[in-house]
C-alpha cells in the first residue's frame, strides 16, 4: 500500500511526442538536425510527426484523465519558446504550454515541467553547444521566460533531464544529438549543464509567483563490479556518471577523483570562480530515472574491450578518461532495449541516495520498459511483460519506503509509445500504444493496470 500523498504519474518529452516541428514559429533543434542526418537514427526516423501531440492536445489530456493520473511530467521545447536560442520570445509556443498546463489543472492533474529534455536550439549548437559557457547563460534567460509564463501554475520545475546523456552521449559517444565525439567537449558540457541547472533554478526563483518545488532529474548508473578489479572500475564510472552531477549540484564541489582521473582529457579550466556556488542551489526534490544496472571491471588491455553499457555505439566513447574500464554483459532477463531487468537496483539506489543526501526527498521521474507489443485481432494490446516490469519496480520503491527512504512519487516512462532517440520508433515504451500510420492511441493492458494502482494505491497482480 502506498501512502495517500504518494504521486502516481506518467512522463513524456517534447521532441519524442510533439511532432509539428515547423508549427507556429518553432525552429530546429539539434535533434531535428541529427535525426535528419542519414545513418544517425534507426530506419531514418525523425520527430517530424512523432505522436502529433501538439495537434492532439485535448485528446491526450483526456487520456491522462481517463487513467486517473495524479500528475503529468512533460518537457518544454526550448525551440518553441526562444526559437533562436537567445533573443526573441515566440508567444504561440508559450500559448501551447499554457494550454497544456491549464488542461492538466482543469482535469485535476498536477503539472511537473522539465525545461530541457535534449532539444537544444540548433543556433546554440552552431555557436558552440553545451561545451560553451554561453549556452548555460542562454538557458537561464529561457528559464526566466518559461517561469514568467507558467510560474503561477507549475507545481514542480525540473531544470534538466539526464544531463549525463546530453553531455556524454551528445558530445562524447555521438549516439545522441549533436553527435560530436570529443571527451574534453563532453566534460565541458557536464560543467555547463550543471551551471545551467544552477542558473536556471535562480532564474525561476526570481520570477515565479507560486511556491513550486525545484528539482533536477538524473539517470544514475547503478554499478556492479566484476572480479578483483570491479571496485576500481566502479569508482571511476561512479565519478563520471553519478558524482559529476550530484556533488556539484548537492554539495557544491567536483569530486577530487573525477578531476584526477580525467586529467589527461581536460584541466577543468572551464570551472570559474563562483560557478560551484551558483550550481549548488537548494532543491526540494531529486528526480531519479532508473531502468537497469551496469557491470564493470578494468580492461586487461589485451582481449577485445567490451562496451555493453546499454548505449548505441556510434564511434566515440561516453566515458572520457576511463578507457581502461570495460562494461561486461549482464545476466537477463532483458527488455527490448537489451537492458537487463534488475528491480533490486532501484531500492539499492534509493537507499544509497537517502544515505548520502539525507533529508532530500526523491521522486522516480522515469521507470518503464520497451517491449515489442503485438495487437490482437480485437485490437487489444496484452503486455504482461511490461506490467511485470512495472510491478516489480514499484515493489522495489515500496521496499525503499518501508526502510525509511522519502520517495514522493513514481512516473511511468512513458505515457505513449514515442520517438526513442537513436532507435526511432522501433522501441515501444508506452502504456498507451500509438499507431504511427493512423496516430490512433490505444491504452494497453498496462495502462489499465496502472490506472487501478493509481486509484487504489495498492499493488495488485
Ligand atoms: C531516458 C530518457 C527518456 C527515454 C527513456 C527510455 O534516458 O530520459 O527520454 O528515452 O530513457
Amino acid at each position: 500500500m502506498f501512502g495517500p500523498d504518494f504521486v502516481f504519474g506518467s512522463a513524456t518529452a517534447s521532441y519524442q511526442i510533439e511532432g509539428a516541428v515547423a508549427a507556429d514559429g518553432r525552429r530546429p533543434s539539434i535533434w531535428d538536425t541529427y535525426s535528419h542526418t542519414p545513418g544517425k537514427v534507426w530506419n531514418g526516423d525523425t520527430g517530424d510527426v512523432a505522436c502529433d501531440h501538439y495537434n492532439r492536445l485535448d485528446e491526450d489530456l483526456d487520456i491522462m484523465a481517463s487513467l486517473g493520473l495524479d500528475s503529468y511530467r512533460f518537457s518544454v521545447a526550448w525551440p518553441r519558446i526562444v526559437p533562436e536560442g537567445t533573443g526573441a520570445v515566440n508567444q504561440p509556443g508559450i500559448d501551447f504550454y499554457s494550454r497544456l498546463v491549464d488542461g492538466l489543472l482543469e482535469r485535476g492533474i498536477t503539472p511537473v515541467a522539465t525545461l530541457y529534455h535534449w532539444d537544444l536550439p540548433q543556433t546554440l549548437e552552431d555557436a558552440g553547444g553545451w561545451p560553451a559557457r554561453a549556452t548555460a547563460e542562454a538557458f537561464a534567460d529561457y528559464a526566466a521566460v518559461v517561469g514568467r509564463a507558467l510560474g503561477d501554475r507549475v507545481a514542480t520545475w525540473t531544470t534538466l533531464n539526464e544531463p549525463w546523456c546530453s553531455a556524454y552521449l551528445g558530445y562524447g559517444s555521438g549516439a545522441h544529438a549533436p553527435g560530436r565525439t570529443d571527451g574534453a567537449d563532453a566534460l565541458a558540457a557536464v560543467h555547463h549543464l550543471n551551471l545551467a541547472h544552477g542558473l536556471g533554478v535562480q532564474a525561476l526563483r526570481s520570477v515565479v509567483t507560486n511556491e513550486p518545488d525545484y528539482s533536477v532529474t538524473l539517470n544514475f548508473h547503478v554499478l556492479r563490479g566484476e572480479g578483483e578489479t570491479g571496485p576500481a572500475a566502479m569508482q571511476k564510472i561512479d565519478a563520471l556518471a553519478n558524482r559529476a552531477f550530484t556533488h556539484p549540484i548537492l554539495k557544491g564541489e567536483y569530486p577530487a577523483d573525477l578531476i584526477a582521473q580525467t586529467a589527461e582529457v581536460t584541466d577543468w579550466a572551464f570551472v570559474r570562480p563562483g560557478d560551484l556556488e551558483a550550481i549548488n542551489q537548494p532543491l526540494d526534490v531529486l528526480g531519479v530515472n532508473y531502468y537497469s544496472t551496469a557491470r564493470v571491471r578494468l580492461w586487461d588491455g589485451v582481449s577485445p574491450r567490451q562496451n555493453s553499457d546499454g548505449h548505441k555505439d556510434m564511434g566515440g566513447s561516453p566515458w572520457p578518461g576511463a578507457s581502461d574500464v570495460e562494461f561486461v554483459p549482464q545476466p537477463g532477463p532483458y527488455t527490448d532495449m537489451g537492458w537487463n531487468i534488475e528491480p533490486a537496483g532501484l531500492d539499492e539506489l534509493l537507499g544509497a541516495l537517502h544515505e548520502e543526501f539525507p533529508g532530500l526527498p526523491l521522486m522516480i521521474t522515469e521507470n518503464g520498459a520497451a517491449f515489442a507489443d503485438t495487437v490482437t485481432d480485437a485490437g487489444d494490446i496484452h503486455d504482461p511483460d511490461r506490467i511485470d516490469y512495472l510491478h516489480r519496480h514499484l515493489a522495489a520503491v515500496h521496499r525503499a519506503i518501508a526502510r525509511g527512504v522519502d520517495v514522493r512519487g513514481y512516473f511511468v516512462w512513458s505515457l505513449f509509445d514515442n520517438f526513442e532517440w537513436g532507435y526511432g520508433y522501433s522501441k515501444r515504451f508506452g502504456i498507451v500504444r500509438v499507431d504511427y500510420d493512423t496516430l490512433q492511441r490505444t491504452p494497453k493492458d498496462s495502462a489499465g493496470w496502472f490506472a487501478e494502482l493509481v486509484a487504489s494505491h495498492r499493488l495488485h497482480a
Side-chain angles (χ1 to χ4, degrees), residues 1-298:
M1 190 80 190
F2 288 88
D5 296 333
F6 191 85
V7 172
F8 288 104
S10 191
T12 64
S14 46
Y15 190 72
Q16 294 182 276
I17 66 164
E18 286 177 359
V21 289
D24 299 338
R26 182 188 180 278
R27 297 278 295 138
S29 75
I30 53 175
W31 270 98
D32 297 87
T33 308
Y34 186 83
S35 65
H36 279 272
T37 307
K40 298 295 186 192
V41 175
W42 280 14
N43 194 38
D45 289 341
T46 73
D48 287 1
V49 177
C51 307
D52 198 31
H53 170 72
Y54 190 82
N55 294 310
R56 290 161 199 257
L57 182 58
D58 291 331
E59 178 187 353
D60 290 347
L61 286 163
D62 287 343
I63 292 171
M64 297 173 211
S66 74
L67 300 179
L69 299 185
D70 298 324
S71 184
Y72 174 58
R73 173 177 180 248
F74 62 95
S75 81
V76 177
W78 188 343
R80 288 196 196 281
I81 305 292
V82 186
E84 302 297 342
T86 56
V89 172
N90 181 44
Q91 190 58 40
I94 291 183
D95 293 344
F96 171 73
Y97 294 103
S98 199
R99 279 201 292 130
L100 166 59
V101 168
D102 284 343
L104 290 169
L105 293 172
E106 278 159 22
R107 290 165 179 82
I109 303 170
T110 303
V112 173
T114 300
L115 284 176
Y116 185 72
H117 200 129
W118 308 351
D119 36 6
L120 185 72
Q122 181 61 41
T123 43
L124 289 179
E125 172 56 24
D126 296 341
W130 284 111
R133 187 178 181 90
T135 301
E137 288 157 0
F139 178 81
D141 294 341
Y142 154 67
V145 171
V146 182
R148 253 181 235 115
L150 309 178
D152 53 343
R153 288 161 289 164
V154 164
T156 302
W157 290 101
T158 302
T159 51
L160 309 174
N161 175 73
E162 301 190 354
W164 183 90
C165 293
S166 303
Y168 296 111
L169 297 181
Y171 294 91
S173 84
H176 277 187
R180 283 158 62 178
T181 52
D182 182 300
D185 284 343
L187 292 167
V190 166
H191 178 62
H192 295 132
L193 283 151
N194 284 331
L195 185 61
H197 160 77
L199 298 177
V201 170
Q202 293 180 59
L204 286 169
R205 250 191 240 288
S206 69
V207 297
V208 304
T209 55
N210 62 353
E211 284 187 19
D213 283 346
Y214 295 97
S215 179
V216 63
T217 278
L218 304 177
N219 56 317
F220 293 92
H221 282 66
V222 178
L223 302 167
R224 277 46 175 128
E226 176 106 334
E228 256 172 48
T229 62
M234 280 170 75
Q235 180 182 340
K236 281 197 134 178
I237 299 304
D238 179 51
L240 274 173
N242 302 328
R243 288 181 282 121
F245 301 100
T246 52
H247 283 209
I249 290 173
L250 299 170
K251 298 180 164 187
E253 64 194 26
Y254 279 106
D257 58 343
L258 172 67
I259 308 289
Q261 78 191 41
T262 54
E264 281 183 12
V265 183
T266 178
D267 59 7
W268 291 79
F270 41 74
V271 182
R272 297 202 191 151
D275 282 3
L276 283 155
E277 291 73 17
I279 294 169
N280 181 213
Q281 296 300 309
L283 295 183
D284 302 292
V285 59
L286 177 64
V288 175
N289 290 357
Y290 176 82
Y291 291 92
S292 182
T293 56
R295 185 172 293 267
V296 293
R297 68 179 173 206
L298 293 183

Side-chain angles (χ1 to χ4, degrees), residues 378-408:
D380 298 322
I381 301 102
H382 301 308
D383 56 345
D385 291 343
R386 184 172 293 104
I387 293 175
D388 185 61
Y389 181 100
L390 298 176
H391 190 156
R392 298 203 299 131
H393 286 78
L394 277 151
V397 173
H398 198 270
R399 282 197 297 275
I401 294 172
R403 286 210 318 271
V405 181
D406 185 0
V407 188
R408 298 283 167 93

